[in-house]
Short mmCIF file of all heavy atoms in Angstrom, two decimals:
data_model
loop_
_atom_site.label_atom_id
_atom_site.label_comp_id
_atom_site.label_asym_id
_atom_site.label_seq_id
_atom_site.Cartn_x
_atom_site.Cartn_y
_atom_site.Cartn_z
N MET A 64 -56.78 -15.72 -19.62
CA MET A 64 -55.42 -15.37 -19.20
C MET A 64 -55.06 -13.99 -19.73
O MET A 64 -55.31 -13.67 -20.88
CB MET A 64 -54.43 -16.42 -19.74
CG MET A 64 -52.98 -16.15 -19.35
SD MET A 64 -51.88 -17.36 -20.10
CE MET A 64 -52.39 -18.85 -19.27
N LYS A 65 -54.50 -13.20 -18.87
CA LYS A 65 -54.10 -11.86 -19.29
C LYS A 65 -52.58 -11.78 -19.44
O LYS A 65 -51.85 -12.28 -18.60
CB LYS A 65 -54.56 -10.83 -18.25
CG LYS A 65 -56.06 -10.64 -18.21
CD LYS A 65 -56.42 -9.54 -17.22
CE LYS A 65 -57.93 -9.33 -17.20
NZ LYS A 65 -58.32 -8.30 -16.24
N ALA A 66 -52.21 -11.17 -20.52
CA ALA A 66 -50.78 -10.96 -20.72
C ALA A 66 -50.29 -9.80 -19.86
O ALA A 66 -51.04 -8.87 -19.58
CB ALA A 66 -50.49 -10.66 -22.19
N LYS A 67 -49.06 -9.90 -19.45
CA LYS A 67 -48.48 -8.79 -18.71
C LYS A 67 -48.27 -7.61 -19.64
O LYS A 67 -47.84 -7.76 -20.77
CB LYS A 67 -47.13 -9.20 -18.12
CG LYS A 67 -47.20 -9.69 -16.70
CD LYS A 67 -45.81 -9.76 -16.09
CE LYS A 67 -45.89 -10.11 -14.61
NZ LYS A 67 -44.54 -10.19 -14.02
N MET A 68 -48.61 -6.43 -19.13
CA MET A 68 -48.41 -5.23 -19.93
C MET A 68 -47.10 -4.55 -19.49
O MET A 68 -47.01 -4.09 -18.37
CB MET A 68 -49.58 -4.26 -19.73
CG MET A 68 -50.88 -4.81 -20.27
SD MET A 68 -52.28 -3.76 -19.87
CE MET A 68 -51.86 -2.27 -20.74
N PRO A 69 -46.15 -4.52 -20.38
CA PRO A 69 -44.84 -3.94 -20.00
C PRO A 69 -44.92 -2.45 -19.74
O PRO A 69 -44.15 -1.91 -18.97
CB PRO A 69 -43.95 -4.22 -21.22
CG PRO A 69 -44.90 -4.46 -22.35
CD PRO A 69 -46.15 -5.03 -21.73
N ASN A 70 -45.88 -1.78 -20.36
CA ASN A 70 -46.03 -0.35 -20.17
C ASN A 70 -47.46 -0.03 -19.77
O ASN A 70 -48.23 0.55 -20.52
CB ASN A 70 -45.67 0.43 -21.44
CG ASN A 70 -44.16 0.40 -21.68
OD1 ASN A 70 -43.39 0.68 -20.78
ND2 ASN A 70 -43.76 0.05 -22.88
N LYS A 71 -47.85 -0.47 -18.60
CA LYS A 71 -49.22 -0.20 -18.19
C LYS A 71 -49.41 1.29 -17.95
O LYS A 71 -48.47 1.96 -17.51
CB LYS A 71 -49.58 -1.01 -16.95
CG LYS A 71 -49.03 -0.49 -15.66
CD LYS A 71 -49.47 -1.43 -14.53
CE LYS A 71 -48.87 -1.01 -13.19
NZ LYS A 71 -49.64 -0.01 -12.50
N PRO A 72 -50.61 1.79 -18.22
CA PRO A 72 -50.85 3.22 -18.03
C PRO A 72 -50.64 3.62 -16.59
O PRO A 72 -50.91 2.85 -15.67
CB PRO A 72 -52.31 3.40 -18.43
CG PRO A 72 -52.67 2.18 -19.21
CD PRO A 72 -51.78 1.09 -18.71
N SER A 73 -50.18 4.82 -16.39
CA SER A 73 -50.01 5.33 -15.04
C SER A 73 -51.37 5.55 -14.40
O SER A 73 -52.32 5.94 -15.06
CB SER A 73 -49.23 6.65 -15.07
OG SER A 73 -47.95 6.43 -15.60
N GLU A 74 -51.44 5.27 -13.11
CA GLU A 74 -52.68 5.44 -12.39
C GLU A 74 -52.99 6.91 -12.18
O GLU A 74 -52.11 7.72 -11.92
CB GLU A 74 -52.56 4.77 -11.01
CG GLU A 74 -52.16 3.31 -11.06
CD GLU A 74 -53.33 2.43 -11.37
OE1 GLU A 74 -54.48 2.89 -11.25
OE2 GLU A 74 -53.11 1.28 -11.76
N ALA A 75 -54.29 7.23 -12.27
CA ALA A 75 -54.71 8.58 -11.90
C ALA A 75 -54.57 8.72 -10.38
O ALA A 75 -55.19 7.97 -9.64
CB ALA A 75 -56.15 8.83 -12.33
N ALA A 76 -53.76 9.62 -9.96
CA ALA A 76 -53.45 9.74 -8.55
C ALA A 76 -52.66 11.01 -8.29
O ALA A 76 -52.34 11.73 -9.23
CB ALA A 76 -52.62 8.53 -8.08
N THR A 77 -52.40 11.24 -7.03
CA THR A 77 -51.47 12.32 -6.69
C THR A 77 -50.06 11.74 -6.62
O THR A 77 -49.82 10.71 -5.99
CB THR A 77 -51.84 12.94 -5.33
OG1 THR A 77 -53.15 13.46 -5.40
CG2 THR A 77 -50.88 14.08 -5.00
N TYR A 78 -49.16 12.39 -7.30
CA TYR A 78 -47.78 11.91 -7.38
C TYR A 78 -46.83 12.87 -6.68
O TYR A 78 -47.09 14.08 -6.56
CB TYR A 78 -47.35 11.78 -8.85
CG TYR A 78 -47.90 10.55 -9.53
CD1 TYR A 78 -49.22 10.52 -9.97
CD2 TYR A 78 -47.11 9.43 -9.73
CE1 TYR A 78 -49.74 9.40 -10.60
CE2 TYR A 78 -47.61 8.30 -10.36
CZ TYR A 78 -48.92 8.29 -10.79
OH TYR A 78 -49.43 7.18 -11.41
N LEU A 79 -45.73 12.30 -6.25
CA LEU A 79 -44.65 13.11 -5.69
C LEU A 79 -43.42 12.93 -6.56
O LEU A 79 -43.02 11.80 -6.87
CB LEU A 79 -44.35 12.65 -4.26
CG LEU A 79 -43.07 13.26 -3.64
CD1 LEU A 79 -43.23 14.76 -3.41
CD2 LEU A 79 -42.74 12.56 -2.33
N CYS A 80 -42.85 14.04 -6.99
CA CYS A 80 -41.61 14.00 -7.76
C CYS A 80 -40.44 13.96 -6.80
O CYS A 80 -40.28 14.86 -5.98
CB CYS A 80 -41.53 15.21 -8.68
SG CYS A 80 -39.96 15.30 -9.58
N ASN A 81 -39.63 12.92 -6.92
CA ASN A 81 -38.50 12.79 -6.02
C ASN A 81 -37.37 13.75 -6.38
O ASN A 81 -36.47 13.97 -5.58
CB ASN A 81 -37.96 11.35 -6.07
CG ASN A 81 -38.79 10.43 -5.20
OD1 ASN A 81 -39.39 10.85 -4.22
ND2 ASN A 81 -38.85 9.16 -5.56
N LYS A 82 -37.42 14.29 -7.58
CA LYS A 82 -36.33 15.18 -7.97
C LYS A 82 -36.48 16.57 -7.37
O LYS A 82 -35.52 17.18 -6.94
CB LYS A 82 -36.29 15.30 -9.50
CG LYS A 82 -35.58 14.12 -10.15
CD LYS A 82 -35.28 14.42 -11.60
CE LYS A 82 -34.45 13.29 -12.23
NZ LYS A 82 -34.15 13.57 -13.65
N CYS A 83 -37.75 17.09 -7.38
CA CYS A 83 -37.95 18.46 -6.91
C CYS A 83 -38.96 18.54 -5.77
O CYS A 83 -39.33 19.61 -5.34
CB CYS A 83 -38.40 19.35 -8.07
SG CYS A 83 -40.03 18.92 -8.70
N SER A 84 -39.44 17.36 -5.32
CA SER A 84 -40.38 17.29 -4.19
C SER A 84 -41.72 17.96 -4.49
O SER A 84 -42.46 18.33 -3.58
CB SER A 84 -39.78 17.90 -2.91
OG SER A 84 -38.65 17.18 -2.54
N LYS A 85 -42.04 18.11 -5.76
CA LYS A 85 -43.32 18.67 -6.16
C LYS A 85 -44.40 17.60 -6.08
O LYS A 85 -44.21 16.47 -6.54
CB LYS A 85 -43.22 19.20 -7.60
CG LYS A 85 -44.53 19.59 -8.23
CD LYS A 85 -45.03 20.92 -7.70
CE LYS A 85 -46.27 21.37 -8.49
NZ LYS A 85 -46.77 22.67 -7.98
N GLN A 86 -45.56 17.97 -5.50
CA GLN A 86 -46.72 17.07 -5.51
C GLN A 86 -47.69 17.57 -6.56
O GLN A 86 -47.98 18.76 -6.63
CB GLN A 86 -47.40 17.06 -4.15
CG GLN A 86 -46.54 16.42 -3.07
CD GLN A 86 -47.26 16.39 -1.73
OE1 GLN A 86 -48.47 16.53 -1.66
NE2 GLN A 86 -46.51 16.18 -0.66
N PHE A 87 -48.21 16.65 -7.37
CA PHE A 87 -49.13 17.07 -8.42
C PHE A 87 -50.13 15.97 -8.70
O PHE A 87 -49.86 14.78 -8.52
CB PHE A 87 -48.36 17.43 -9.70
CG PHE A 87 -47.56 16.30 -10.29
CD1 PHE A 87 -48.08 15.55 -11.34
CD2 PHE A 87 -46.31 15.99 -9.79
CE1 PHE A 87 -47.34 14.50 -11.88
CE2 PHE A 87 -45.57 14.94 -10.33
CZ PHE A 87 -46.08 14.20 -11.39
N LYS A 88 -51.32 16.38 -9.14
CA LYS A 88 -52.36 15.41 -9.50
C LYS A 88 -52.22 15.04 -10.96
O LYS A 88 -52.03 15.90 -11.82
CB LYS A 88 -53.74 16.01 -9.25
CG LYS A 88 -54.08 16.10 -7.78
CD LYS A 88 -55.49 16.59 -7.58
CE LYS A 88 -55.83 16.66 -6.10
NZ LYS A 88 -57.20 17.18 -5.87
N PHE A 89 -52.31 13.75 -11.21
CA PHE A 89 -52.20 13.25 -12.56
C PHE A 89 -53.48 12.51 -12.91
O PHE A 89 -53.97 11.70 -12.14
CB PHE A 89 -50.99 12.31 -12.68
CG PHE A 89 -50.96 11.55 -13.97
CD1 PHE A 89 -50.53 12.16 -15.13
CD2 PHE A 89 -51.36 10.22 -14.02
CE1 PHE A 89 -50.50 11.47 -16.33
CE2 PHE A 89 -51.33 9.52 -15.22
CZ PHE A 89 -50.90 10.15 -16.38
N GLU A 90 -54.05 12.79 -14.08
CA GLU A 90 -55.29 12.15 -14.50
C GLU A 90 -55.02 11.11 -15.60
O GLU A 90 -55.32 9.93 -15.45
CB GLU A 90 -56.28 13.20 -15.01
CG GLU A 90 -56.76 14.15 -13.93
CD GLU A 90 -57.68 13.46 -12.94
OE1 GLU A 90 -58.28 12.44 -13.29
OE2 GLU A 90 -57.80 13.96 -11.81
N GLN A 91 -54.51 11.58 -16.71
CA GLN A 91 -54.23 10.66 -17.81
C GLN A 91 -53.23 11.31 -18.77
O GLN A 91 -52.92 12.49 -18.65
CB GLN A 91 -55.52 10.32 -18.57
CG GLN A 91 -56.19 11.53 -19.21
CD GLN A 91 -57.48 11.16 -19.90
OE1 GLN A 91 -57.90 10.01 -19.91
NE2 GLN A 91 -58.14 12.14 -20.47
N GLY A 92 -52.76 10.50 -19.71
CA GLY A 92 -51.77 11.02 -20.66
C GLY A 92 -50.37 10.65 -20.22
O GLY A 92 -50.15 9.58 -19.67
N THR A 93 -49.46 11.55 -20.47
CA THR A 93 -48.07 11.30 -20.12
C THR A 93 -47.79 11.79 -18.71
O THR A 93 -48.06 12.94 -18.38
CB THR A 93 -47.14 12.04 -21.11
OG1 THR A 93 -47.42 11.60 -22.43
CG2 THR A 93 -45.69 11.76 -20.77
N LEU A 94 -47.27 10.88 -17.90
CA LEU A 94 -46.93 11.26 -16.54
C LEU A 94 -45.67 12.13 -16.55
O LEU A 94 -44.60 11.68 -16.97
CB LEU A 94 -46.70 9.99 -15.71
CG LEU A 94 -46.35 10.23 -14.25
CD1 LEU A 94 -47.48 10.95 -13.53
CD2 LEU A 94 -46.07 8.90 -13.56
N ILE A 95 -45.83 13.35 -16.15
CA ILE A 95 -44.71 14.29 -16.17
C ILE A 95 -44.83 15.26 -15.01
O ILE A 95 -45.93 15.72 -14.68
CB ILE A 95 -44.65 15.03 -17.53
CG1 ILE A 95 -43.45 15.99 -17.57
CG2 ILE A 95 -45.94 15.79 -17.82
CD1 ILE A 95 -43.18 16.56 -18.95
N CYS A 96 -43.74 15.59 -14.39
CA CYS A 96 -43.73 16.57 -13.31
C CYS A 96 -43.92 17.97 -13.90
O CYS A 96 -43.17 18.37 -14.79
CB CYS A 96 -42.41 16.50 -12.53
SG CYS A 96 -42.26 17.82 -11.33
N PRO A 97 -44.94 18.70 -13.44
CA PRO A 97 -45.20 20.03 -13.98
C PRO A 97 -44.15 21.04 -13.54
O PRO A 97 -44.10 22.15 -14.07
CB PRO A 97 -46.58 20.39 -13.41
CG PRO A 97 -46.65 19.60 -12.15
CD PRO A 97 -45.90 18.32 -12.39
N SER A 98 -43.35 20.68 -12.58
CA SER A 98 -42.36 21.62 -12.07
C SER A 98 -41.02 21.50 -12.77
O SER A 98 -40.43 22.49 -13.19
CB SER A 98 -42.19 21.39 -10.57
OG SER A 98 -41.25 22.30 -10.04
N CYS A 99 -40.54 20.27 -12.92
CA CYS A 99 -39.21 20.07 -13.49
C CYS A 99 -39.25 19.25 -14.78
O CYS A 99 -38.22 18.90 -15.34
CB CYS A 99 -38.27 19.44 -12.48
SG CYS A 99 -38.62 17.72 -12.09
N GLN A 100 -40.46 18.91 -15.24
CA GLN A 100 -40.66 18.16 -16.47
C GLN A 100 -40.00 16.79 -16.45
O GLN A 100 -39.65 16.23 -17.46
CB GLN A 100 -40.17 18.95 -17.70
CG GLN A 100 -41.21 19.93 -18.25
CD GLN A 100 -41.42 21.12 -17.31
OE1 GLN A 100 -40.45 21.78 -16.95
NE2 GLN A 100 -42.64 21.39 -16.93
N ASN A 101 -39.85 16.27 -15.27
CA ASN A 101 -39.29 14.92 -15.13
C ASN A 101 -40.34 13.89 -15.55
O ASN A 101 -41.48 13.94 -15.11
CB ASN A 101 -38.88 14.72 -13.67
CG ASN A 101 -38.46 13.30 -13.40
OD1 ASN A 101 -37.93 12.63 -14.26
ND2 ASN A 101 -38.70 12.85 -12.19
N THR A 102 -39.94 12.95 -16.39
CA THR A 102 -40.85 11.90 -16.81
C THR A 102 -40.39 10.52 -16.35
O THR A 102 -40.96 9.51 -16.72
CB THR A 102 -41.00 11.88 -18.34
OG1 THR A 102 -39.73 11.70 -18.94
CG2 THR A 102 -41.63 13.16 -18.85
N ASN A 103 -39.37 10.49 -15.55
CA ASN A 103 -38.83 9.21 -15.08
C ASN A 103 -39.75 8.63 -13.99
O ASN A 103 -39.84 9.16 -12.89
CB ASN A 103 -37.42 9.43 -14.52
CG ASN A 103 -36.75 8.10 -14.23
OD1 ASN A 103 -37.39 7.06 -14.11
ND2 ASN A 103 -35.42 8.14 -14.14
N LYS A 104 -40.44 7.54 -14.33
CA LYS A 104 -41.45 7.00 -13.41
C LYS A 104 -40.83 6.51 -12.10
O LYS A 104 -41.51 6.44 -11.10
CB LYS A 104 -42.21 5.86 -14.09
CG LYS A 104 -43.17 6.38 -15.15
CD LYS A 104 -44.00 5.23 -15.71
CE LYS A 104 -44.95 5.75 -16.77
NZ LYS A 104 -45.75 4.67 -17.37
N SER A 105 -39.55 6.17 -12.13
CA SER A 105 -38.93 5.73 -10.90
C SER A 105 -38.73 6.91 -9.94
O SER A 105 -38.49 6.71 -8.76
CB SER A 105 -37.59 5.04 -11.20
OG SER A 105 -36.69 5.94 -11.80
N ASP A 106 -38.85 8.13 -10.46
CA ASP A 106 -38.75 9.31 -9.61
C ASP A 106 -40.11 9.89 -9.28
O ASP A 106 -40.22 10.85 -8.53
CB ASP A 106 -37.91 10.39 -10.29
CG ASP A 106 -36.43 10.03 -10.36
OD1 ASP A 106 -35.96 9.32 -9.46
OD2 ASP A 106 -35.77 10.46 -11.31
N LEU A 107 -41.17 9.32 -9.89
CA LEU A 107 -42.51 9.84 -9.67
C LEU A 107 -43.31 8.77 -8.94
O LEU A 107 -43.67 7.75 -9.50
CB LEU A 107 -43.17 10.18 -11.01
CG LEU A 107 -42.41 11.25 -11.83
CD1 LEU A 107 -42.99 11.34 -13.24
CD2 LEU A 107 -42.47 12.59 -11.14
N VAL A 108 -43.59 9.00 -7.68
CA VAL A 108 -44.22 7.99 -6.85
C VAL A 108 -45.64 8.41 -6.48
O VAL A 108 -45.92 9.58 -6.22
CB VAL A 108 -43.40 7.72 -5.57
CG1 VAL A 108 -42.04 7.14 -5.94
CG2 VAL A 108 -43.24 8.96 -4.74
N VAL A 109 -46.53 7.41 -6.45
CA VAL A 109 -47.92 7.67 -6.05
C VAL A 109 -47.99 7.89 -4.55
O VAL A 109 -47.49 7.10 -3.77
CB VAL A 109 -48.82 6.47 -6.43
CG1 VAL A 109 -50.24 6.71 -5.91
CG2 VAL A 109 -48.84 6.28 -7.93
N ILE A 110 -48.59 8.99 -4.16
CA ILE A 110 -48.76 9.25 -2.72
C ILE A 110 -50.22 9.17 -2.32
O ILE A 110 -50.55 9.09 -1.17
CB ILE A 110 -48.17 10.60 -2.30
CG1 ILE A 110 -48.81 11.75 -3.06
CG2 ILE A 110 -46.66 10.59 -2.48
CD1 ILE A 110 -48.35 13.11 -2.54
N SER A 111 -51.15 9.18 -3.28
CA SER A 111 -52.57 9.09 -2.95
C SER A 111 -53.34 8.61 -4.17
O SER A 111 -53.37 9.27 -5.19
CB SER A 111 -53.11 10.45 -2.52
OG SER A 111 -54.50 10.38 -2.33
N MET A 112 -53.97 7.44 -4.01
CA MET A 112 -54.79 6.95 -5.09
C MET A 112 -56.09 7.74 -5.15
O MET A 112 -56.65 8.13 -4.14
CB MET A 112 -55.11 5.46 -4.90
CG MET A 112 -53.88 4.59 -4.87
SD MET A 112 -52.92 4.68 -6.41
CE MET A 112 -54.03 3.83 -7.51
N LYS A 113 -56.59 7.96 -6.37
CA LYS A 113 -57.76 8.81 -6.54
C LYS A 113 -59.03 8.15 -5.99
O LYS A 113 -59.84 8.79 -5.36
CB LYS A 113 -57.94 9.10 -8.02
CG LYS A 113 -59.09 10.05 -8.32
CD LYS A 113 -59.17 10.29 -9.82
CE LYS A 113 -60.30 11.26 -10.15
NZ LYS A 113 -60.47 11.46 -11.58
N ASP A 114 -59.20 6.86 -6.25
CA ASP A 114 -60.48 6.21 -5.97
C ASP A 114 -60.61 5.74 -4.52
O ASP A 114 -61.68 5.81 -3.94
CB ASP A 114 -60.67 5.02 -6.89
CG ASP A 114 -60.87 5.47 -8.32
OD1 ASP A 114 -61.41 6.57 -8.53
OD2 ASP A 114 -60.47 4.74 -9.24
N ASN A 115 -59.55 5.24 -3.95
CA ASN A 115 -59.62 4.69 -2.62
C ASN A 115 -58.57 5.31 -1.70
O ASN A 115 -57.59 4.66 -1.34
CB ASN A 115 -59.43 3.17 -2.65
CG ASN A 115 -60.64 2.45 -3.20
OD1 ASN A 115 -61.77 2.70 -2.77
ND2 ASN A 115 -60.44 1.58 -4.17
N PRO A 116 -58.78 6.55 -1.36
CA PRO A 116 -57.74 7.23 -0.57
C PRO A 116 -57.47 6.55 0.76
O PRO A 116 -56.37 6.63 1.28
CB PRO A 116 -58.31 8.64 -0.37
CG PRO A 116 -59.77 8.52 -0.61
CD PRO A 116 -59.92 7.41 -1.62
N GLU A 117 -58.47 5.87 1.30
CA GLU A 117 -58.27 5.23 2.60
C GLU A 117 -57.56 3.88 2.47
O GLU A 117 -57.10 3.33 3.43
CB GLU A 117 -59.61 5.04 3.30
CG GLU A 117 -60.24 6.39 3.67
CD GLU A 117 -61.57 6.17 4.36
OE1 GLU A 117 -61.97 5.01 4.56
OE2 GLU A 117 -62.22 7.17 4.71
N GLU A 118 -57.56 3.37 1.25
CA GLU A 118 -56.99 2.03 1.07
C GLU A 118 -55.67 2.07 0.32
O GLU A 118 -55.16 1.06 -0.09
CB GLU A 118 -57.98 1.15 0.30
CG GLU A 118 -59.24 0.87 1.08
CD GLU A 118 -60.15 -0.09 0.32
OE1 GLU A 118 -59.63 -0.85 -0.52
OE2 GLU A 118 -61.35 -0.07 0.55
N ASN A 119 -55.15 3.28 0.16
CA ASN A 119 -53.97 3.37 -0.69
C ASN A 119 -52.76 2.66 -0.08
O ASN A 119 -51.78 2.41 -0.76
CB ASN A 119 -53.65 4.82 -1.05
CG ASN A 119 -53.20 5.62 0.17
OD1 ASN A 119 -52.22 5.27 0.82
ND2 ASN A 119 -53.91 6.68 0.48
N GLN A 120 -52.84 2.36 1.19
CA GLN A 120 -51.72 1.63 1.80
C GLN A 120 -51.96 0.13 1.78
O GLN A 120 -51.11 -0.63 2.17
CB GLN A 120 -51.55 2.09 3.24
CG GLN A 120 -51.13 3.57 3.31
CD GLN A 120 -51.05 4.03 4.75
OE1 GLN A 120 -51.82 3.57 5.60
NE2 GLN A 120 -50.16 4.95 5.04
N MET A 121 -53.14 -0.27 1.31
CA MET A 121 -53.51 -1.68 1.41
C MET A 121 -53.52 -2.39 0.06
O MET A 121 -53.60 -3.60 0.01
CB MET A 121 -54.89 -1.82 2.03
CG MET A 121 -54.96 -1.29 3.45
SD MET A 121 -56.63 -1.44 4.11
CE MET A 121 -56.86 -3.21 4.13
N TYR A 122 -53.48 -1.63 -1.00
CA TYR A 122 -53.62 -2.28 -2.30
C TYR A 122 -52.44 -3.17 -2.61
O TYR A 122 -51.32 -2.92 -2.21
CB TYR A 122 -53.90 -1.29 -3.41
CG TYR A 122 -52.69 -0.52 -3.91
CD1 TYR A 122 -51.93 -1.04 -4.96
CD2 TYR A 122 -52.32 0.71 -3.39
CE1 TYR A 122 -50.85 -0.36 -5.44
CE2 TYR A 122 -51.23 1.39 -3.86
CZ TYR A 122 -50.50 0.86 -4.89
OH TYR A 122 -49.43 1.54 -5.38
N THR A 123 -52.75 -4.23 -3.34
CA THR A 123 -51.71 -5.18 -3.71
C THR A 123 -51.72 -5.35 -5.23
O THR A 123 -52.57 -4.80 -5.91
CB THR A 123 -51.96 -6.55 -3.06
OG1 THR A 123 -53.13 -7.09 -3.63
CG2 THR A 123 -52.13 -6.39 -1.57
N GLU A 124 -50.84 -6.15 -5.70
CA GLU A 124 -50.79 -6.39 -7.14
C GLU A 124 -52.05 -7.10 -7.63
O GLU A 124 -52.40 -7.04 -8.78
CB GLU A 124 -49.57 -7.22 -7.51
CG GLU A 124 -48.30 -6.38 -7.62
CD GLU A 124 -47.33 -6.98 -8.61
OE1 GLU A 124 -47.49 -8.17 -8.95
OE2 GLU A 124 -46.41 -6.27 -9.05
N ASP A 125 -52.75 -7.77 -6.71
CA ASP A 125 -53.98 -8.46 -7.11
C ASP A 125 -55.01 -7.48 -7.67
O ASP A 125 -55.81 -7.82 -8.52
CB ASP A 125 -54.59 -9.18 -5.90
CG ASP A 125 -53.76 -10.38 -5.53
OD1 ASP A 125 -52.99 -10.86 -6.38
OD2 ASP A 125 -53.90 -10.85 -4.40
N ASP A 126 -54.98 -6.25 -7.18
CA ASP A 126 -55.92 -5.25 -7.69
C ASP A 126 -55.68 -4.95 -9.15
O ASP A 126 -56.60 -4.70 -9.89
CB ASP A 126 -55.78 -3.96 -6.88
CG ASP A 126 -56.25 -4.14 -5.44
OD1 ASP A 126 -57.14 -4.98 -5.24
OD2 ASP A 126 -55.73 -3.47 -4.56
N PHE A 127 -54.44 -4.99 -9.56
CA PHE A 127 -54.13 -4.71 -10.93
C PHE A 127 -54.41 -5.92 -11.82
O PHE A 127 -54.82 -5.80 -12.96
CB PHE A 127 -52.67 -4.30 -11.08
CG PHE A 127 -52.35 -3.02 -10.37
CD1 PHE A 127 -51.43 -3.01 -9.34
CD2 PHE A 127 -52.97 -1.84 -10.74
CE1 PHE A 127 -51.14 -1.83 -8.67
CE2 PHE A 127 -52.66 -0.66 -10.07
CZ PHE A 127 -51.74 -0.66 -9.05
N LEU A 128 -54.20 -7.10 -11.28
CA LEU A 128 -54.35 -8.30 -12.10
C LEU A 128 -55.78 -8.80 -12.12
O LEU A 128 -56.20 -9.45 -13.06
CB LEU A 128 -53.45 -9.41 -11.53
CG LEU A 128 -51.96 -9.08 -11.53
CD1 LEU A 128 -51.19 -10.21 -10.83
CD2 LEU A 128 -51.44 -8.90 -12.94
N GLY A 129 -56.57 -8.48 -11.11
CA GLY A 129 -57.90 -9.07 -11.00
C GLY A 129 -58.96 -8.38 -11.82
O GLY A 129 -59.98 -8.97 -12.13
N GLY A 130 -58.76 -7.11 -12.12
CA GLY A 130 -59.81 -6.39 -12.80
C GLY A 130 -59.78 -6.63 -14.29
O GLY A 130 -60.61 -6.23 -15.00
ZN1 LIG B 460 -40.16 17.44 -10.42
#
């Protein structure tokens, strides 16, 4: 059984900042917009997963829980 992680690491992906509309690639560390330094994850949305660009519209929560 896996415990839920309240602060799971941000996925390596291309993100869109909703505050300034900046798109940026994120690998690891602290997720932050390089343009406006926004760190609010609710404003930083994944627009392209790094590993499965063709499946980025198909992934479900099972992918996070199953691995
Ligand atoms: Zn921004």
Side-chain angles (χ1 to χ4, degrees):
M64 181 184 294
K65 290 184 179 179
K67 266 193 174 179
M68 295 174 63
N70 288 311
K71 77 181 177 85
S73 298
E74 305 280 343
T77 300
Y78 283 78
L79 171 67
C80 175
N81 279 332
K82 280 193 175 179
C83 66
S84 298
K85 170 76 173 180
Q86 293 181 17
F87 61 98
K88 287 184 179 178
F89 169 78
E90 294 289 337
Q91 62 182 0
T93 302
L94 181 62
I95 181 169
C96 173
S98 180
C99 70
Q100 275 72 52
N101 173 32
T102 57
N103 189 341
K104 287 185 180 178
S105 62
D106 289 330
L107 300 170
V108 297
V109 176
I110 58 174
S111 174
M112 299 300 290
K113 184 179 181 183
D114 291 330
N115 287 310
E117 293 180 1
E118 294 184 25
N119 68 58
Q120 295 176 327
M121 297 178 64
Y122 78 90
T123 67
E124 279 209 344
D125 288 340
D126 292 331
F127 295 118
L128 299 175

